[in-house]
Short mmCIF file of all heavy atoms in Angstrom, two decimals:
data_model
loop_
_atom_site.label_atom_id
_atom_site.label_comp_id
_atom_site.label_asym_id
_atom_site.label_seq_id
_atom_site.Cartn_x
_atom_site.Cartn_y
_atom_site.Cartn_z
N PHE Z 1 267.25 28.31 184.23
CA PHE Z 1 267.54 27.25 185.33
C PHE Z 1 268.59 27.66 186.22
O PHE Z 1 269.51 28.37 185.84
CB PHE Z 1 267.80 25.96 184.63
CG PHE Z 1 266.73 25.32 183.84
CD1 PHE Z 1 266.42 25.73 182.58
CD2 PHE Z 1 265.94 24.38 184.47
CE1 PHE Z 1 265.29 25.19 181.92
CE2 PHE Z 1 264.76 23.87 183.74
CZ PHE Z 1 264.54 24.23 182.41
N LYS Z 2 268.46 27.18 187.47
CA LYS Z 2 269.62 27.39 188.50
C LYS Z 2 270.14 25.95 188.79
O LYS Z 2 269.45 25.01 188.82
CB LYS Z 2 269.17 28.20 189.71
CG LYS Z 2 267.92 27.39 190.43
CD LYS Z 2 267.43 28.23 191.56
CE LYS Z 2 266.31 27.57 192.19
NZ LYS Z 2 265.64 28.33 193.28
N THR Z 3 271.44 25.90 189.09
CA THR Z 3 271.98 24.71 189.58
C THR Z 3 271.85 24.56 191.06
O THR Z 3 272.02 25.42 191.78
CB THR Z 3 273.51 24.81 189.19
OG1 THR Z 3 273.70 24.93 187.68
CG2 THR Z 3 274.23 23.49 189.58
N LEU Z 4 271.41 23.31 191.47
CA LEU Z 4 271.16 23.05 192.80
C LEU Z 4 272.50 22.64 193.54
O LEU Z 4 273.40 21.98 192.89
CB LEU Z 4 270.14 21.83 192.94
CG LEU Z 4 268.93 22.07 192.26
CD1 LEU Z 4 268.00 20.79 192.40
CD2 LEU Z 4 268.13 23.34 192.88
N SER Z 5 272.62 22.91 194.67
CA SER Z 5 273.82 22.57 195.55
C SER Z 5 273.90 21.20 196.01
O SER Z 5 274.91 20.66 196.32
CB SER Z 5 274.06 23.56 196.64
OG SER Z 5 272.93 23.51 197.50
N SER Z 6 272.71 20.51 196.07
CA SER Z 6 272.66 19.19 196.64
C SER Z 6 271.53 18.37 195.96
O SER Z 6 270.51 18.92 195.73
CB SER Z 6 272.37 19.30 198.05
OG SER Z 6 272.10 18.06 198.71
N SER Z 7 271.83 17.09 195.80
CA SER Z 7 270.80 16.18 195.37
C SER Z 7 269.74 15.87 196.39
O SER Z 7 268.64 15.41 196.12
CB SER Z 7 271.46 14.86 194.84
OG SER Z 7 272.03 14.22 196.01
N GLU Z 8 269.97 16.18 197.62
CA GLU Z 8 269.01 16.06 198.76
C GLU Z 8 267.83 16.94 198.59
O GLU Z 8 266.78 16.69 199.18
CB GLU Z 8 269.76 16.40 200.04
CG GLU Z 8 270.82 15.46 200.52
CD GLU Z 8 270.30 14.09 200.87
OE1 GLU Z 8 269.29 13.96 201.63
OE2 GLU Z 8 270.92 13.14 200.43
N THR Z 9 267.96 17.96 197.67
CA THR Z 9 266.79 18.87 197.59
C THR Z 9 266.08 18.69 196.28
O THR Z 9 265.26 19.55 195.97
CB THR Z 9 267.32 20.38 197.59
OG1 THR Z 9 268.17 20.56 196.57
CG2 THR Z 9 268.06 20.65 198.97
N LEU Z 10 266.35 17.61 195.58
CA LEU Z 10 265.55 17.40 194.30
C LEU Z 10 264.09 17.39 194.64
O LEU Z 10 263.67 16.76 195.52
CB LEU Z 10 266.06 16.09 193.64
CG LEU Z 10 267.41 16.10 193.08
CD1 LEU Z 10 267.84 14.66 192.61
CD2 LEU Z 10 267.44 17.00 191.83
N MET Z 11 263.29 18.00 193.68
CA MET Z 11 261.85 17.96 193.70
C MET Z 11 261.33 17.42 192.33
O MET Z 11 261.99 17.50 191.29
CB MET Z 11 261.35 19.33 193.90
CG MET Z 11 261.67 20.01 195.23
SD MET Z 11 261.16 21.67 195.63
CE MET Z 11 259.98 22.14 194.27
N PRO Z 12 260.21 16.94 192.29
CA PRO Z 12 259.66 16.41 190.95
C PRO Z 12 259.73 17.51 189.98
O PRO Z 12 259.34 18.63 190.25
CB PRO Z 12 258.27 16.01 191.33
CG PRO Z 12 258.23 15.57 192.74
CD PRO Z 12 259.26 16.58 193.40
N GLY Z 13 260.23 17.24 188.79
CA GLY Z 13 260.37 18.29 187.75
C GLY Z 13 261.73 18.83 187.63
O GLY Z 13 262.03 19.45 186.65
N ASP Z 14 262.57 18.60 188.70
CA ASP Z 14 263.94 19.00 188.44
C ASP Z 14 264.66 18.19 187.45
O ASP Z 14 264.15 17.06 187.01
CB ASP Z 14 264.78 18.84 189.80
CG ASP Z 14 264.33 19.93 190.84
OD1 ASP Z 14 263.78 20.92 190.46
OD2 ASP Z 14 264.59 19.72 192.09
N ILE Z 15 265.75 18.62 186.86
CA ILE Z 15 266.42 17.87 185.87
C ILE Z 15 267.82 17.56 186.28
O ILE Z 15 268.42 18.18 187.10
CB ILE Z 15 266.43 18.62 184.48
CG1 ILE Z 15 267.18 19.95 184.69
CG2 ILE Z 15 265.04 18.77 184.02
CD1 ILE Z 15 267.34 20.73 183.30
N LEU Z 16 268.40 16.47 185.72
CA LEU Z 16 269.74 16.11 185.78
C LEU Z 16 270.23 16.25 184.34
O LEU Z 16 269.74 15.59 183.45
CB LEU Z 16 269.97 14.79 186.35
CG LEU Z 16 269.57 14.57 187.77
CD1 LEU Z 16 269.39 13.08 188.21
CD2 LEU Z 16 270.48 15.20 188.80
N VAL Z 17 271.35 17.04 184.19
CA VAL Z 17 271.77 17.35 182.76
C VAL Z 17 273.29 17.13 182.67
O VAL Z 17 274.05 17.52 183.59
CB VAL Z 17 271.28 18.72 182.29
CG1 VAL Z 17 271.78 19.79 183.12
CG2 VAL Z 17 271.71 18.96 180.83
N ARG Z 18 273.69 16.45 181.60
CA ARG Z 18 275.06 16.35 181.21
C ARG Z 18 275.32 17.22 179.99
O ARG Z 18 274.68 16.93 178.99
CB ARG Z 18 275.41 14.91 180.97
CG ARG Z 18 276.83 14.72 180.66
CD ARG Z 18 277.16 13.16 180.59
NE ARG Z 18 278.44 12.83 180.25
CZ ARG Z 18 278.86 11.73 179.89
NH1 ARG Z 18 278.07 10.65 180.03
NH2 ARG Z 18 280.17 11.57 179.52
N ASN Z 19 276.08 18.17 180.01
CA ASN Z 19 276.29 19.13 178.95
C ASN Z 19 276.50 18.52 177.62
O ASN Z 19 277.43 17.78 177.38
CB ASN Z 19 277.52 20.07 179.32
CG ASN Z 19 277.54 21.28 178.25
OD1 ASN Z 19 276.57 21.56 177.67
ND2 ASN Z 19 278.67 21.81 178.20
N GLY Z 20 275.54 18.85 176.71
CA GLY Z 20 275.62 18.42 175.36
C GLY Z 20 275.37 16.97 175.07
O GLY Z 20 275.49 16.42 173.94
N ARG Z 21 275.04 16.18 176.14
CA ARG Z 21 274.91 14.76 175.99
C ARG Z 21 273.51 14.19 176.36
O ARG Z 21 272.90 13.39 175.61
CB ARG Z 21 275.84 14.03 177.00
CG ARG Z 21 277.39 14.44 176.75
CD ARG Z 21 277.95 13.77 175.53
NE ARG Z 21 277.67 12.37 175.58
CZ ARG Z 21 278.60 11.39 175.56
NH1 ARG Z 21 279.84 11.67 175.39
NH2 ARG Z 21 278.18 10.11 175.57
N HIS Z 22 272.88 14.63 177.41
CA HIS Z 22 271.69 13.98 177.89
C HIS Z 22 271.11 14.78 179.00
O HIS Z 22 271.82 15.48 179.77
CB HIS Z 22 272.14 12.59 178.47
CG HIS Z 22 270.99 11.66 178.64
ND1 HIS Z 22 270.88 10.80 179.84
CD2 HIS Z 22 269.78 11.38 178.03
CE1 HIS Z 22 269.72 10.15 179.77
NE2 HIS Z 22 269.12 10.52 178.68
N VAL Z 23 269.79 14.64 179.14
CA VAL Z 23 268.95 15.31 180.22
C VAL Z 23 267.91 14.40 180.60
O VAL Z 23 267.22 13.77 179.75
CB VAL Z 23 268.50 16.70 179.81
CG1 VAL Z 23 267.56 16.60 178.64
CG2 VAL Z 23 267.87 17.39 180.98
N VAL Z 24 267.64 14.26 181.89
CA VAL Z 24 266.52 13.47 182.49
C VAL Z 24 265.75 14.32 183.44
O VAL Z 24 266.35 15.28 184.06
CB VAL Z 24 267.03 12.13 183.11
CG1 VAL Z 24 267.68 11.25 182.12
CG2 VAL Z 24 267.80 12.41 184.31
N MET Z 25 264.41 14.03 183.63
CA MET Z 25 263.59 14.73 184.63
C MET Z 25 263.45 13.81 185.86
O MET Z 25 263.02 12.62 185.70
CB MET Z 25 262.32 15.08 184.07
CG MET Z 25 261.44 15.83 185.16
SD MET Z 25 259.81 16.18 184.40
CE MET Z 25 260.15 17.52 183.33
N PHE Z 26 263.80 14.34 187.02
CA PHE Z 26 263.61 13.67 188.25
C PHE Z 26 262.16 13.54 188.55
O PHE Z 26 261.46 14.56 188.50
CB PHE Z 26 264.39 14.41 189.33
CG PHE Z 26 264.13 13.88 190.68
CD1 PHE Z 26 264.79 12.71 191.29
CD2 PHE Z 26 263.21 14.51 191.55
CE1 PHE Z 26 264.47 12.32 192.52
CE2 PHE Z 26 262.88 14.06 192.89
CZ PHE Z 26 263.60 12.91 193.35
N LEU Z 27 261.65 12.40 189.01
CA LEU Z 27 260.28 12.29 189.45
C LEU Z 27 260.19 12.10 190.91
O LEU Z 27 259.44 12.69 191.60
CB LEU Z 27 259.61 11.08 188.70
CG LEU Z 27 259.49 11.25 187.10
CD1 LEU Z 27 258.95 9.99 186.62
CD2 LEU Z 27 258.70 12.41 186.78
N TYR Z 28 260.91 11.12 191.50
CA TYR Z 28 260.90 10.91 192.87
C TYR Z 28 262.08 9.89 193.31
O TYR Z 28 262.63 9.23 192.53
CB TYR Z 28 259.57 10.35 193.33
CG TYR Z 28 259.08 9.04 192.75
CD1 TYR Z 28 259.41 7.84 193.22
CD2 TYR Z 28 258.22 9.10 191.64
CE1 TYR Z 28 258.98 6.60 192.69
CE2 TYR Z 28 257.83 7.95 190.98
CZ TYR Z 28 258.16 6.72 191.57
OH TYR Z 28 257.67 5.64 190.94
N TYR Z 29 262.26 9.94 194.57
CA TYR Z 29 263.29 8.96 195.22
C TYR Z 29 262.65 7.60 195.32
O TYR Z 29 261.46 7.50 195.62
CB TYR Z 29 263.75 9.42 196.63
CG TYR Z 29 264.45 10.79 196.57
CD1 TYR Z 29 263.89 11.97 196.95
CD2 TYR Z 29 265.80 10.87 196.22
CE1 TYR Z 29 264.55 13.10 196.99
CE2 TYR Z 29 266.53 12.06 196.10
CZ TYR Z 29 265.84 13.15 196.48
OH TYR Z 29 266.68 14.35 196.45
N ALA Z 30 263.42 6.58 195.02
CA ALA Z 30 262.90 5.24 195.04
C ALA Z 30 263.27 4.43 196.34
O ALA Z 30 262.89 3.33 196.46
CB ALA Z 30 263.45 4.49 193.83
N ASP Z 31 264.09 5.10 197.19
CA ASP Z 31 264.30 4.48 198.39
C ASP Z 31 264.52 5.46 199.55
O ASP Z 31 264.76 6.70 199.27
CB ASP Z 31 265.66 3.67 198.38
CG ASP Z 31 266.86 4.38 197.95
OD1 ASP Z 31 266.81 5.61 197.78
OD2 ASP Z 31 268.08 3.79 197.93
N ASN Z 32 264.48 5.10 200.71
CA ASN Z 32 264.54 6.02 201.88
C ASN Z 32 265.87 6.66 202.05
O ASN Z 32 265.97 7.75 202.57
CB ASN Z 32 264.21 5.26 203.26
CG ASN Z 32 262.73 4.92 203.33
OD1 ASN Z 32 262.02 5.49 202.66
ND2 ASN Z 32 262.45 3.87 204.10
N GLN Z 33 266.93 6.08 201.45
CA GLN Z 33 268.31 6.62 201.64
C GLN Z 33 268.59 7.71 200.50
O GLN Z 33 269.61 8.30 200.51
CB GLN Z 33 269.41 5.51 201.41
CG GLN Z 33 269.34 4.55 202.49
CD GLN Z 33 268.20 3.42 202.33
OE1 GLN Z 33 267.66 3.27 201.20
NE2 GLN Z 33 267.78 2.85 203.40
N LYS Z 34 267.65 7.90 199.62
CA LYS Z 34 267.75 8.84 198.46
C LYS Z 34 268.88 8.53 197.62
O LYS Z 34 269.54 9.51 197.11
CB LYS Z 34 267.74 10.34 199.06
CG LYS Z 34 266.42 10.72 199.82
CD LYS Z 34 266.57 12.15 200.10
CE LYS Z 34 265.24 12.65 200.76
NZ LYS Z 34 265.22 14.03 201.08
N SER Z 35 269.16 7.25 197.47
CA SER Z 35 270.24 6.88 196.65
C SER Z 35 269.85 6.37 195.24
O SER Z 35 270.63 6.24 194.32
CB SER Z 35 271.19 5.78 197.26
OG SER Z 35 270.36 4.59 197.47
N LYS Z 36 268.46 6.02 195.13
CA LYS Z 36 268.00 5.58 193.88
C LYS Z 36 266.78 6.52 193.51
O LYS Z 36 266.12 6.93 194.40
CB LYS Z 36 267.40 4.09 194.06
CG LYS Z 36 268.53 3.16 194.37
CD LYS Z 36 268.27 1.87 193.68
CE LYS Z 36 269.38 0.84 194.11
NZ LYS Z 36 270.58 0.99 193.26
N ILE Z 37 266.73 6.85 192.29
CA ILE Z 37 265.70 7.77 191.78
C ILE Z 37 265.02 7.19 190.66
O ILE Z 37 265.49 6.39 189.93
CB ILE Z 37 266.36 9.13 191.44
CG1 ILE Z 37 267.36 8.98 190.40
CG2 ILE Z 37 266.91 9.83 192.67
CD1 ILE Z 37 267.97 10.32 189.75
N VAL Z 38 263.73 7.72 190.41
CA VAL Z 38 262.95 7.44 189.33
C VAL Z 38 263.07 8.68 188.40
O VAL Z 38 262.80 9.83 188.85
CB VAL Z 38 261.45 7.06 189.66
CG1 VAL Z 38 260.73 6.86 188.40
CG2 VAL Z 38 261.50 5.84 190.54
N VAL Z 39 263.32 8.52 187.09
CA VAL Z 39 263.48 9.59 186.14
C VAL Z 39 262.66 9.23 184.90
O VAL Z 39 262.30 8.05 184.65
CB VAL Z 39 264.92 9.94 185.70
CG1 VAL Z 39 265.79 10.32 186.82
CG2 VAL Z 39 265.49 8.66 184.89
N ILE Z 40 262.23 10.20 184.15
CA ILE Z 40 261.61 10.14 182.90
C ILE Z 40 262.58 10.79 181.85
O ILE Z 40 263.23 11.75 182.18
CB ILE Z 40 260.18 10.73 182.83
CG1 ILE Z 40 259.57 10.35 181.49
CG2 ILE Z 40 260.23 12.24 183.03
CD1 ILE Z 40 258.08 10.67 181.50
#
């Protein structure tokens, strides 16, 4: 995996991970401002 430089470039299937604690998969942005996201 590579670390992304910006959340503006998230694509479905990307992950958000907190070392040793938790990981979620990004599905899509939930608003036009890209401030809310849907994860699984």
Side-chain angles (χ1 to χ4, degrees):
F1 290 83
K2 60 184 174 187
T3 300
L4 303 175
S5 60
S6 168
S7 63
E8 295 288 318
T9 61
L10 287 170
M11 296 178 10
D14 288 343
I15 60 172
L16 296 166
V17 59
R18 184 175 175 189
N19 189 20
R21 304 280 312 233
H22 193 221
V23 61
V24 300
M25 181 183 285
F26 171 81
L27 296 178
Y28 56 90
Y29 295 103
D31 63 357
N32 290 333
Q33 297 78 25
K34 296 185 175 181
S35 64
K36 300 220 181 275
I37 60 173
V38 176
V39 299
I40 188 167

